[in-house]
Amino acid sequence: MKRFRRHGQESQRDRLKQELFQFNKTVEHGFPHQPSALGYSPSLQLLAIGTRSGAIKLYGAPGVEFMGLHDENAAVTQVHFLPHQVELVTLLDDNSLHMWTLKAHKGLSELLEIGRFTLTGPPGAPPSVTRVTAVLAHSSGELLLLGTEGGHVFIVEVPGFRELEERNISLDQVASSVPDDYIGRRNLEHVETLQENPVDPNQVVIGYGRGLMVIWNLEKQQAIQHIPATQQLESMWWTEDGGHLLSSHSDGSYCRWMAGGEDMNEEEEEKSDIPYGHFPCKAISKIIQLPTEKGPPFLLFSGGMPRASYGDRHCITVIHSKTHVALDFTSRIIDFFAIRGGPQHTGDPSALVVLVEEELVVIDLQTEGWPVIQTPYLVPLHSSAITCSHHVSAIPLKLWERVLAAGDLQSKHYSKEPWPITGGQNLAPDPPQRDLLLTGHEDGTVRFWDASGVCLCPMYKLSTSGVFHTDADPNDNMNQGTEGEWPPFRKVGCFDPYSDDPRLGVQKIHLCKYSGYLAVAGTAGQILMLELNDEAAEHTVEAKVVDLLQGQEGFRWKGHTQLDVREEPVLFPPGFQPFTLVQCQPPAVVTALTLHSEWKLVAFGTSHGFGLYDYQQWNNVLVKCTLNPSDQLAMEGPLSRVKSIKKSLRQSFRRIRRSRVSLRKHHVNNAAKLQDANARLEAELAEMELAPVQRKIEARSSDDSFTGLVRTIYFADTFLSDSSHNTPSLWAGTNGGCVFAYMLRLPAAERRTDELVTAQPAKEIQLMHRAPVVGIVVLDGHGAPLPEPLEVAHDLARSPDMQGSHHLVVISEEQFKVFTLPKVSAKMKLKLTAVDGSRVRRVGVAWFGSSRSEDYGESGLVVLTNQGDVHVVSLPTVKMQVHYPCVRREDVSGIASCVFTKHGQGFYLISPSEFERFSLSARYLVEPRCLVEVPFRTGSATQRRPQPDGVSSAHRITTQDGEAAEVLQEIQKSLEGEQTSLLENNVKNAVA
Amino acid sequence: MNKSHRVPSNRSLSAVEVKSKFGAEFRRFSLDRSKPGRFDEFYGLLQHVHRIPNVDLLVGYADVHGDLLPINNDDNYHKAISTASPLLRLFLQRKEEADYTFGTNSLTRKKNTVLSAVLLRPDANRKKPPVLISLPRDFRPVSSIIDVDILPETHRRVRLYKHGQEKPLGFYIRDGSSVRVTPQGLEKVPGIFISRMVPGGLAESTGLLAVNDEVLEVNGIEVAGKSLDQVTDMMIANSHNLIITVKPANQRNNVVRTGGGGGGGGGTASGSSGRSSDSGASYYGYSALSGVGAAASAPSHIIQNFPAGELESDEDDEDLVIEVGGEAEPIRRTLSNYSMPSLPRYEPHLNLRAASALSINRRSLEEEGTVITL
C-alpha cells in the first residue's frame, strides 16, 4: 500500500518535471565560425553561408534563419541555389554534392537534406577526373553543370542527381577544337568557372585554369567560340546583355571580351587592364559588372592589389562612373555578391554583400558615399574577443528605450536603408519580454545586445577605455585614408581583435535594470561605476585605490601595473557614463562583482580579497584580505602582460604569413595533404604513449594555490545574528571553500549621504571539503530565492517572506549545501563530485514556469558542470531534477562562457564568434519559426531569363511575383513595426 | 587565578582548557592553542602539575569522536591541542599500569570498559608485563581492507583514513586498458590504474595499493565509463574517507577466504599470510612500517566490522563555523552550556577539526611561547 502511494507520488512528480523542464538548443547567434562559402538566391531573397565544419546556414529577413549540418565533417566549398526554387546544392571538401530544400511543415519551413551525390568517373580514372572545381546551377532549374579538376564538365539532372552522360563535355571534345596557336592547348588544366549566357540559356562558357574560355552550346553540344586568354584564369562574368565576357586573372588583370556570334575565332580582347598595375599585383579572384538604368555600370572585383605594398589587404574595388573605392576589409574575403533593386531584382545594384572570414559587411550602393548597412544578424560578437557575459531578463521599457536611444546616436554613420535581404516570413511570436545580453570584451568595451528574440541585435556599445591613459593612440584612426592615396582605400567592417592594452579587458559586469546603474570590472583590478545619462557630459573620474593586502607581508606583485586614470576631464557621449572608479591594489583581475542599487553598494573580489564600496558617498566600507600567506602564486600574480605581448606578436606574424601564402582554393595536392595529416597524427600518438597522462590524488589543503581567490559575492537582507531582526549582509565565497559573512549597517534613507555605512564580520564558514565556493543564495521563509534589489520596490516581485526561517545555500564545485540561518547549521546537501565526478562550473538561479498551468512555477538552480552537462537542482530541497548533456566536455571555453537567464535559458560560446542559445524551460522558448514560400513559377523554363551562378538576378519574372514579394515585404515591415495583434492575425490567415 | 591572565575575548579562540586526570586526581589549566610548544615541555608540565616528577606516563586524550588517542610526540600533541573543542580531556597512566588501548571507536564502542577502566579503576591491580615495543595502543589505523566477505577474491576494497593525518594520500592514477570477459569474448576496455606512489605517502605506507592496480570503484561508485579527470575529482571529493576497490596487479597476495561468513573480525587472512610465502613480492614491502615493527602494522590489516553506514560516513557537519564579533554574543550566551565565557564557542552540533581551525587562526595570532594559566 505504502509502496503504491509512493509510486504514485513519484510519477506525479515526474509529470510535473515534464511540465517544467525541457531541454532544447534553439538558435545560434552571431557569426558562423570559419565560413567557407556564400550563396544567394535573388528570387528567395535568402543568403546561405557554408562553414568549414560542414554547417549550412540560411538567412533572410531578420528572424528568418535555417541551419543544417552535413553528416560529413568536411568544409563546404560552394553553395548554389537552384534558380527560382527552394533547393540549394552544396559542394563539400570531400567532393560530395548535397541537395537541400526548404520544406514547409505545419506552416513552418524546415531545412532538410534530400539527396547526396558523388561523381563517379570511368573505371580506373584518376580521382582528379571527377574532382569538382566549378558548379553551375542552370537557370532551367533542372541541370547542374559540374566542372572538374581533370577539365571535364559533367551534366547532372537535379534534384535527383541523375548523370546525363551523353551530354557531358569532355576535355577531348574541347581540346580538339582549340586553335593550334594557343600556347596552353596541351594542358588546359581544371575547369575554373562555368557561366551561363544571361540571354541564351543554351550557351555556357567554360573557363579553364590555363586561361582558355570556351563558349559551348548545350543543345548542339559544340563549341561556339574560343577565347584564348593567356593568363591563369581566376573568374569570369557574362555581362547582362550577353554581349561581353569579363575575365579576371592571377596577375591582377581583367579583360573584356566580345562574346559575339559564332565562328568568330579571332576575337581580340577588347580591353585589358591591370587596375593597380605597374608593379606585380595579386590575383583578381572575382569580378562582376552590373548595369545601371542610366549611366555607367558598376564594376566590382576582389583582390588585384599591388603585391609588395598592399599584398596583405583584403580589398574589393567598386568602380562606378568616376567613383573608385577600394573597400579594405578586416579579414580574408570569402565571397561577395550584389543585390539589385527593383521589383524583379533587375534594377540598379542596391547593395554589395561581402562575406569575409570574420564578418558579413553590407554596403549601400544607392546612398552617396556608400555607407555600411548595419546587419541585424550575423554580427561579429568577437570583433574584440569576448571575455565575459551577463544576462538581464525583463528590462523595463524605460531603460530599454534609453539604451536604444544611446545606441542610435552611435550608429549615425550607418546607412538609413533597410536591410536588403528580406526573404521568408518570421512567424515567431513576439518575445514575451525584453532581454539584454551584455558582453565584455578584451578591448574594454561592453556591448549591449537585444537577446529577446531569434536575432541577437546590437543595441549599444560602451567603451571604458576613455577613462584611462592607454598605449593606444586615439589619433591613430584608420578610417580616414590620406587624400590622393592610391589605391583609394576605405576601411570597412568592425572586426578588430587586436587589443592594445590587455588590462582594459572586461571581466565582470553587473547591471541593475531598475536604476540603470552599471558596474564594470576589469583585468587590472578596476571597477567602474556607471550611470545612464541621456546627455553628453564632461567630467573627471576620480579613482579610489583599495589596498586588498592590508599590510600582508612578504608580498611581491609581479603582474601588470594598475591603469593610469586620466586626470583631465573626459567628454563622455550620451549613454552609460562612469562616475566613480575603484582600483584594487594589487591590480589583479576582478573575479567577483555584485551591485546593490537599493543600498548603493558595490562589492568586488580578486585573488587577494574582497571589498565593499559605497558609491553614493564614494567611500570604501570594507576590505578583507583572504590571501593565504604561503600562497606564492597568488602573491606574485600572473605575468599576463608579458604573455599578451608575445601572443599579439605571434598573431601579427601569423596574419602576415597567412596573407603571403597564396590562397588557392582547390589545387592542393590531396595525397600530400593526407600524408602530412597522417604523419602529424602518428607523432601525436607516439607522444601520448611516451608520457601517459596521470593525475595526482591529494586532498585539498589550506596551502593550495589561490585558496583566497574570491569566486562569488552576494548581498542579502536576511537573519544573520538573530532570528527576529533581519539585516543587510554581504557574503563572499573563496576558492578555498570558505564563506565570509558581514553584517551591514546602513543609515536611514534621509541620512544616507551623511552617515557612513559600516560592515562587521559576522560569520566565517569553512567547508570541510574545501572545494571552491561558486555560488551563494539565501532563500526566504517560503524557500524562494531572495528577490533582486529594487524588484520589490518596483512591484515586480513578491516581497520575500520574513516570517519563516531563512536558509543559506552554498554551492561549491562539489556540493550543494543548505544551512539554516541565523544559526549556521547544515540541513541538507547534495553531493555531485563524490557521486559522478563532475564539478560545478556555472550556476544560476532560475524560475521555471509550468507549460500547462499559467500560475504554477518553481525556482531552481541551473548548473553547468565541467562535463558539459546541465542540471536543474530544486530549491530549497537541493534534489537533482533533470540533467541533459549540453556542451562537449572538451569545449572548455564553451563551458566557461556559459551564462544563464532568470527564466531557464542560457547562452554559451560554440566558437569565438557564436553563442548557442539553449532552453531548459518548458514554457519559455526562443526559436526561429519562419516560412519560405516557393517562388511563383510562370512560363516555361525556356522563356525565363537565366541566372548565372545564382548571384546576379533574374530578369523576367512576371509582375505577379513582384507583387507577392511586395506584399511579403509589407507584412514583414509591419511585423517589425510592432503593430502586432492585427497583423499577426493576417499572417496566421495567410499561413493557414 | 584565571582572571589575572584572561585573554581578550576576540582572541578567545586561542585558549584551550585542559582537564587532566591522573588516577583519581584532576588538574585544570589552559594552553595557548597557537603556541602549544613541544611535547616534552608538555610532558614535563603534566608531571609538574600532577606533582609526579619521576613517573613514566602514558598520556591519552579523548578526541572529538570520543576515541581515546595517545599523546606521545609533537605531532599528536599538536593535533590534540588543535582539535580540543573546547575542552581537552587528558588521561594519564603509569606506563606499567596501562590497561586500555587507543584507537578508533575505542571510547564509543567500549565506553563501558575503557572509560570506566580509566575512571573507576585508577589503580589497576592486574599488572601486566610491560611491553615496550610496538604497543598497538600507540597507533591508530591508517588503512584497512574491508568487505572481504562480499567481494570477489580478485578484488580488494581499501579504506584510507586520511582524516586527521598530515600525511599526503600520495598516489597518482592514469588511463589504461584492461581485458574483460564478455559474452562476445575477451574485450579490451578502458580502465583507470594507479600509476605512481609518492614515497612516504599514506597510500604507499599502507602497502595495500600498488602501481598498476586497476581502480574499479571509488566509495562504492563504479568508475567504468568515467574519464580520468572525473575519477580524480571523485577521489579528491572523497579524500577525507577514501574507499577504493582495486583489482591488484599482483594477485598473489589476495585474501584467501575460508568458508562463507568470514565476516567481521574474523581476520581469516591478511596480506601477511600471502607475503610470508612470497617474500619476493616487492609490491608489498612493508618497509614504511618496518620501523615500528610488524605488530604495529597489524591493525591496518584486520578486517573490521564496520557499523552500518560507516562506508558512507563522511565529513557531514564538519564544516567549521566561526561566529565573529560582539554581535554574536547574545545567542552565544543562550546556547552556550560551557562555564567559561572567554572560551571560543563553536556550534555544538559541529565538530571541530584540527587542521582547519589551526589554519584559520594562524594568521591572527602573534603571541610567543606557551601560554599557561594556572
Side-chain angles (χ1 to χ4, degrees):
Chain A
M1 185 64 199
K2 197 177 172 185
R3 181 185 271 174
F4 272 110
R5 204 172 56 225
R6 227 179 120 187
H7 182 72
Q9 277 169 353
E10 270 169 20
S11 64
Q12 196 181 346
R13 181 67 203 161
D14 284 344
R15 208 161 48 237
L16 195 56
K17 277 188 202 168
Q18 282 175 9
E19 289 167 18
L20 290 170
F21 312 116
Q22 188 188 356
F23 182 73
N24 281 298
K25 288 188 182 179
T26 54
V27 60
E28 289 171 7
H29 296 302
F31 184 77
H33 189 48
Q34 297 185 317
S36 52
L38 174 70
Y40 178 65
S41 167
S43 54
L44 296 177
Q45 294 258 337
L46 286 178
L47 166 89
I49 294 177
T51 74
R52 257 189 253 178
S53 53
I56 170 95
K57 294 182 164 200
L58 270 58
Y59 297 89
V64 177
E65 304 188 357
F66 301 95
M67 144 126 198
L69 190 65
H70 293 91
D71 294 336
E72 295 84 353
N73 190 20
V76 180
T77 54
Q78 296 189 38
V79 180
H80 299 271
F81 281 93
L82 300 189
H84 312 292
Q85 298 182 29
V86 287
E87 275 86 35
L88 66 153
V89 177
T90 56
L91 171 67
L92 301 194
D93 213 11
D94 66 356
N95 204 34
S96 62
L97 286 152
H98 299 256
M99 180 68 67
W100 296 81
T101 191
L102 287 166
K103 198 172 192 165
H105 176 67
K106 287 185 188 163
L108 296 175
S109 295
E110 290 172 287
L111 181 63
L112 294 172
E113 188 181 348
I114 51 169
R116 59 185 64 195
F117 171 72
T118 309
L119 266 185
T120 48
S128 69
V129 168
T130 53
R131 174 91 197 162
V132 178
T133 53
V135 177
L136 171 66
H138 192 258
S139 63
S140 64
E142 289 155 7
L143 293 180
L144 211 56
L145 280 72
L146 306 171
T148 67
E149 199 173 317
H152 306 280
V153 177
F154 293 83
I155 298 182
V156 175
E157 195 180 73
V158 283
F161 285 124
R162 194 166 67 87
E163 284 186 70
L164 303 173
E165 274 174 45
E166 69 286 356
R167 299 183 64 176
N168 289 351
I169 308 162
S170 78
L171 187 61
D172 310 331
Q173 275 174 285
V174 174
S176 60
S177 63
V178 174
D180 292 337
D181 54 344
Y182 184 64
I183 329 158
R185 71 180 298 250
R186 295 219 173 272
N187 183 9
L188 295 177
E189 294 188 1
H190 64 279
V191 177
E192 175 67 55
T193 171
L194 289 163
Q195 296 284 336
E196 182 179 335
N197 188 338
V199 291
D200 183 0
N202 271 328
Q203 285 185 11
V204 292
V205 59
I206 308 163
Y208 292 95
R210 191 67 187 83
L212 183 74
M213 289 166 268
V214 177
I215 299 177
W216 187 268
N217 189 316
L218 285 176
E219 211 171 30
K220 297 181 182 155
Q221 299 200 38
Q222 63 180 38
I224 301 169
Q225 185 183 355
H226 295 83
I227 302 172
T230 50
Q231 281 294 333
Q232 199 79 24
L233 187 69
E234 286 285 330
S235 82
M236 270 186 325
W237 179 260
W238 210 319
T239 55
E240 199 189 32
D241 54 11
H244 291 90
L245 277 167
L246 292 174
S247 65
S248 73
H249 302 277
S250 62
D251 63 344
S253 67
Y254 71 89
C255 307
R256 178 195 299 271
W257 312 83
M258 189 84 102
E262 299 169 27
D263 305 315
M264 290 176 66
N265 249 348
E266 291 131 41
E267 198 53 56
E268 286 294 307
E269 54 190 281
E270 191 182 284
K271 186 192 167 198
S272 173
D273 190 16
I274 303 181
Y276 298 110
H278 297 312
F279 297 109
C281 288
K282 297 190 76 173
I284 292 180
S285 54
K286 179 170 178 173
I287 186 162
I288 62 177
Q289 184 187 320
L290 295 169
T292 56
E293 215 165 301
K294 31 190 184 273
F298 271 91
L299 180 70
L300 306 106
F301 60 87
S302 63
M305 285 293 132
R307 183 177 294 277
S309 39
Y310 298 110
D312 58 342
R313 304 277 183 119
H314 313 286
C315 289
I316 288 181
T317 303
V318 184
I319 302 169
H320 176 236
S321 179
K322 293 216 156 38
T323 325
H324 181 143
V325 172
L327 301 166
D328 186 1
F329 291 91
T330 53
S331 47
R332 191 168 65 86
I333 293 158
I334 307 293
D335 202 354
F336 68 95
F337 64 84
I339 297 176
R340 303 176 67 179
Q344 285 119 53
H345 317 297
T346 53
D348 292 0
S350 60
L352 167 67
V353 180
V354 184
L355 178 70
V356 296
E357 207 153 47
E358 306 289 356
E359 60 186 317
L360 182 81
V361 181
V362 177
I363 287 159
D364 174 10
L365 294 177
Q366 289 172 313
T367 310
E368 191 72 23
W370 297 336
V372 173
I373 303 176
Q374 190 164 23
T375 51
Y377 45 70
L378 285 167
V379 190
L381 296 169
H382 62 317
S383 52
S384 169
I386 294 178
T387 43
C388 68
S389 25
H390 174 70
H391 186 272
V392 192
S393 305
I395 304 287
L397 184 61
K398 182 86 185 131
L399 178 71
W400 189 262
E401 284 171 342
R402 290 176 72 191
V403 173
L404 269 182
D408 283 346
L409 291 174
Q410 294 180 328
S411 51
K412 283 251 187 284
H413 59 285
Y414 284 116
S415 165
K416 304 273 182 299
E417 288 292 316
W419 182 244
I421 301 166
T422 54
Q425 308 166 40
N426 180 7
L427 302 177
D430 275 343
Q433 57 190 26
R434 288 168 295 271
D435 286 357
L436 258 184
L437 182 69
L438 282 72
T439 53
H441 298 261
E442 205 181 20
D443 62 355
T445 56
V446 177
R447 279 158 220 253
F448 290 60
W449 308 90
D450 174 0
S452 329
V454 172
C455 282
L456 192 70
C457 311
M459 285 177 72
Y460 168 71
K461 176 179 139 184
L462 162 73
S463 175
T464 61
S465 57
V467 182
F468 307 102
H469 285 289
T470 60
D471 305 342
D473 185 0
N475 298 327
D476 185 21
N477 198 338
M478 291 174 290
N479 277 338
Q480 306 310 319
T482 45
E483 203 60 35
E485 187 191 23
W486 185 261
F489 287 119
R490 189 186 125 201
K491 279 263 177 207
V492 283
C494 58
F495 177 70
D496 181 21
Y498 307 104
S499 167
D500 297 299
D501 193 338
R503 295 176 298 168
L504 290 170
V506 175
Q507 297 295 335
K508 294 283 165 193
I509 305 169
H510 195 128
L511 171 70
C512 171
K513 60 186 176 187
Y514 301 110
S515 61
Y517 281 111
L518 173 70
V520 176
T523 305
Q526 75 272 32
I527 298 110
L528 268 178
M529 283 302 305
L530 305 103
E531 66 187 326
L532 195 51
N533 186 352
D534 300 328
E535 305 292 327
E538 189 169 11
H539 58 260
T540 49
V541 178
E542 252 176 73
K544 183 99 181 174
V545 176
V546 170
D547 180 18
L548 287 173
L549 289 178
Q550 294 195 289
Q552 181 95 41
E553 281 178 17
F555 186 90
R556 207 170 138 230
W557 173 255
K558 291 182 185 165
H560 45 234
T561 56
Q562 74 178 32
L563 284 159
D564 294 329
V565 183
R566 283 184 196 275
E567 274 156 21
E568 69 279 10
V570 183
L571 179 67
F572 296 104
F576 284 93
Q577 298 173 346
F579 62 94
T580 180
L581 166 70
V582 178
Q583 288 190 292
C584 296
Q585 194 55 256
V589 45
V590 176
T591 53
L593 178 75
T594 189
L595 174 70
H596 202 294
S597 43
E598 207 168 340
W599 303 339
K600 304 242 187 301
L601 295 173
V602 62
F604 49 88
T606 73
S607 51
H608 305 107
F610 57 91
L612 178 65
Y613 183 76
D614 174 359
Y615 64 81
Q616 170 127 42
Q617 294 182 27
W618 298 11
N619 174 43
N620 198 44
V621 179
L622 161 76
V623 182
K624 166 77 179 171
C625 179
T626 54
L627 195 65
N628 182 343
S630 58
D631 188 352
Q632 278 306 313
L633 270 177
M635 291 180 112
E636 287 176 0
L639 298 168
S640 64
R641 183 134 173 80
V642 180
K643 248 183 229 158
S644 73
I645 284 171
K646 229 191 251 168
K647 195 176 154 199
S648 69
L649 272 177
R650 197 161 52 223
Q651 270 170 349
S652 41
F653 273 120
R654 242 180 234 155
R655 198 158 43 138
I656 293 164
R657 198 167 33 202
R658 204 186 301 145
S659 61
R660 291 252 169 84
V661 172
S662 172
L663 292 157
R664 305 287 298 168
K665 281 163 283 179
H666 32 244
H667 316 150
V668 189
N669 189 341
N670 274 324
K673 214 174 161 183
L674 202 70
Q675 233 169 23
D676 202 325
N678 276 340
R680 218 178 312 133
L681 201 70
E682 253 169 43
E684 268 171 24
L685 281 174
E687 202 173 314
M688 257 153 64
E689 270 163 20
L690 277 177
V693 184
Q694 47 176 13
R695 295 275 183 273
K696 188 176 186 180
I697 306 299
E698 207 46 79
R700 282 197 193 78
S701 87
S702 54
D703 295 335
D704 286 352
S705 289
F706 292 109
T707 49
L709 190 143
V710 177
R711 289 288 290 267
T712 182
I713 205 151
Y714 180 71
F715 284 114
D717 187 359
T718 187
F719 302 94
L720 195 54
S721 60
D722 63 276
S723 48
S724 48
H725 302 96
N726 54 307
T727 57
S729 62
L730 171 70
W731 300 77
T734 71
N735 231 12
C738 197
V739 176
F740 298 92
Y742 281 77
M743 200 167 351
L744 309 179
R745 223 187 285 270
L746 299 166
E750 61 275 15
R751 275 172 307 190
R752 179 65 179 82
T753 45
D754 319 321
E755 280 180 28
L756 290 179
V757 179
T758 58
Q760 277 177 313
K763 283 184 167 51
E764 218 177 295
I765 306 166
Q766 173 64 56
L767 297 178
M768 212 50 209
H769 63 286
R770 293 187 176 277
V773 176
V774 291
I776 297 170
V777 181
V778 172
L779 307 177
D780 72 2
H782 295 304
L786 293 184
E788 284 175 55
L790 292 174
E791 209 167 36
V792 176
H794 283 71
D795 273 342
L796 287 156
R798 209 159 40 95
S799 46
D801 178 76
M802 290 301 191
Q803 307 306 317
S805 61
H806 283 198
H807 287 99
L808 169 71
V809 185
V810 176
I811 301 119
S812 79
E813 283 192 359
E814 293 183 352
Q815 297 185 2
F816 304 81
K817 248 181 145 160
V818 183
F819 297 91
T820 58
L821 282 175
K823 192 168 76 72
V824 178
S825 60
K827 200 178 170 198
M828 271 174 291
K829 74 167 160 191
L830 173 69
K831 285 181 167 187
L832 188 70
T833 314
V835 174
D836 72 353
S838 59
R839 304 167 63 84
V840 178
R841 277 281 173 270
R842 295 263 145 188
V843 66
V845 177
W847 190 84
F848 292 94
S850 163
S851 57
R852 258 166 53 106
S853 66
E854 195 59 41
D855 49 355
Y856 185 76
E858 289 180 11
S859 284
L861 293 173
V862 199
V863 174
L864 179 72
T865 68
N866 66 340
Q867 302 296 316
D869 296 344
V870 282
H871 299 258
V872 177
V873 175
S874 66
L875 286 176
T877 50
V878 289
K879 292 229 162 47
M880 200 66 88
Q881 298 298 304
V882 285
H883 65 98
Y884 308 94
C886 180
V887 191
R888 279 182 313 114
R889 81 163 67 133
E890 299 81 16
D891 186 5
V892 180
S893 60
I895 292 172
S897 66
C898 181
V899 56
F900 294 112
T901 79
K902 293 257 179 296
H903 294 92
Q905 301 208 337
F907 300 84
Y908 68 92
L909 288 173
I910 47 175
S911 72
S913 56
E914 284 169 290
F915 273 117
E916 172 85 56
R917 188 186 192 117
F918 61 90
S919 175
L920 282 160
S921 167
R923 192 190 284 180
Y924 296 104
L925 194 65
V926 173
E927 60 180 348
R929 297 167 68 81
C930 34
L931 179 65
V932 173
E933 278 166 351
V934 187
F936 292 99
R937 298 199 63 183
T938 49
S940 68
T942 45
Q943 272 185 330
R944 231 183 32 241
R945 287 273 190 98
Q947 190 182 11
D949 209 18
V951 165
S952 108
S953 15
H955 307 299
R956 212 182 284 160
I957 311 173
T958 55
T959 44
Q960 233 180 326
D961 191 355
E963 274 167 20
E966 268 169 21
V967 171
L968 284 188
Q969 262 180 3
E970 213 167 272
I971 292 173
Q972 193 52 51
K973 263 183 216 154
S974 23
L975 270 177
E976 280 165 25
E978 284 194 354
Q979 305 166 10
T980 46
S981 56
L982 184 90
L983 278 148
E984 226 168 46
N985 285 339
N986 283 351
V987 173
K988 271 179 197 146
N989 291 341
V991 172
Chain B
M1 229 169 24
N2 237 340
K3 278 169 191 153
S4 58
H5 286 83
R6 195 163 201 151
V7 283
S9 66
N10 66 344
R11 215 172 275 140
S12 58
L13 278 174
S14 59
V16 179
E17 192 195 359
V18 183
K19 185 176 170 188
S20 170
K21 176 178 177 293
F22 175 70
E25 287 184 44
F26 289 92
R27 293 286 187 276
R28 282 173 172 273
F29 55 95
S30 76
L31 291 171
D32 190 313
R33 193 190 295 276
S34 63
K35 307 277 186 219
R38 293 201 316 277
F39 170 71
D40 47 356
E41 291 168 14
F42 175 69
Y43 190 78
L45 176 70
L46 288 176
Q47 288 181 324
H48 174 71
V49 298
H50 282 280
R51 297 172 206 281
I52 42 172
N54 295 314
V55 178
D56 276 345
L57 292 170
L58 272 183
V59 187
Y61 74 103
D63 83 345
V64 285
H65 302 297
D67 293 348
L68 184 61
L69 299 174
I71 299 181
N72 49 17
N73 57 35
D74 284 354
D75 286 345
N76 53 23
Y77 165 54
H78 291 159
K79 178 102 229 164
I81 292 292
S82 56
T83 53
S85 61
L87 181 69
L88 178 64
R89 288 190 294 159
L90 294 178
F91 302 98
L92 311 185
Q93 271 192 303
R94 285 177 200 280
K95 251 194 185 146
E96 57 273 22
E97 290 173 357
D99 60 348
Y100 55 85
T101 54
F102 299 113
T104 307
N105 299 336
S106 52
L107 283 191
T108 45
R109 257 197 295 142
K110 304 178 205 159
K111 208 162 228 154
N112 296 336
T113 58
V114 179
L115 258 187
S116 59
V118 181
L119 298 172
L120 303 176
R121 287 184 286 138
D123 297 305
N125 293 322
R126 295 171 291 119
K127 286 200 176 176
K128 285 175 188 164
V131 183
L132 289 176
I133 35 169
S134 57
L135 282 171
R137 61 186 172 225
D138 282 345
F139 306 94
R140 61 188 296 170
V142 291
S143 64
S144 51
I145 299 183
I146 57 174
D147 292 339
V148 176
D149 48 338
I150 54 172
L151 283 177
E153 285 175 14
T154 51
H155 295 178
R156 178 185 300 163
R157 187 168 289 167
V158 177
R159 179 172 179 179
L160 298 175
Y161 297 81
K162 164 68 186 157
H163 77 156
Q165 294 246 359
E166 289 303 320
K167 234 180 209 178
L169 280 171
F171 64 100
Y172 289 72
I173 57 172
R174 61 164 171 89
D175 277 319
S177 58
S178 70
V179 178
R180 291 276 156 75
V181 185
T182 64
Q184 289 80 39
L186 290 181
E187 214 175 84
K188 229 179 174 188
V189 292
I192 303 288
F193 294 84
I194 293 177
S195 62
R196 188 153 88 85
M197 291 284 181
V198 177
L202 183 61
E204 190 211 44
S205 66
T206 65
L208 298 177
L209 298 171
V211 172
N212 293 331
D213 285 1
E214 185 182 358
V215 177
L216 303 170
E217 290 175 6
V218 176
N219 287 53
I221 292 156
E222 282 192 37
V223 303
K226 293 199 159 59
S227 70
L228 182 64
D229 286 335
Q230 271 177 294
V231 178
T232 307
D233 286 336
M234 283 170 76
M235 287 190 175
I236 290 172
N238 287 304
S239 57
H240 50 90
N241 177 27
L242 184 59
I243 299 165
I244 24 184
T245 310
V246 293
K247 190 174 159 200
N250 183 341
Q251 290 281 341
R252 279 181 290 181
N253 290 332
N254 286 340
V255 172
V256 181
R257 210 184 295 159
T258 59
T268 42
S270 70
S272 53
S273 69
R275 184 173 52 111
S276 57
S277 61
D278 180 24
S279 53
S282 56
Y283 285 133
Y284 288 89
Y286 287 89
S287 55
L289 292 176
S290 61
V292 293
S297 66
S300 70
H301 294 268
I302 291 171
I303 298 148
Q304 298 206 2
N305 199 5
F306 287 98
E310 184 82 339
L311 251 175
E312 271 299 300
S313 97
D314 57 13
E315 85 288 16
D316 255 345
D317 300 342
E318 287 182 5
D319 299 331
L320 171 71
V321 179
I322 303 168
E323 305 278 350
V324 206
E327 291 298 317
E329 202 66 28
I331 20 160
R332 177 194 293 181
R333 215 169 281 131
T334 56
L335 288 173
S336 176
N337 47 11
Y338 300 114
S339 51
M340 296 191 52
S342 67
L343 279 176
R345 193 192 64 81
Y346 302 105
E347 298 295 340
H349 68 281
L350 293 169
N351 296 322
L352 191 61
R353 272 300 150 81
S356 55
L358 205 59
S359 63
I360 281 168
N361 295 319
R362 197 179 289 151
R363 251 175 272 142
S364 60
L365 300 168
E366 48 233 356
E367 267 152 76
E368 293 287 327
T370 312
V371 178
I372 303 165
T373 50
L374 284 171

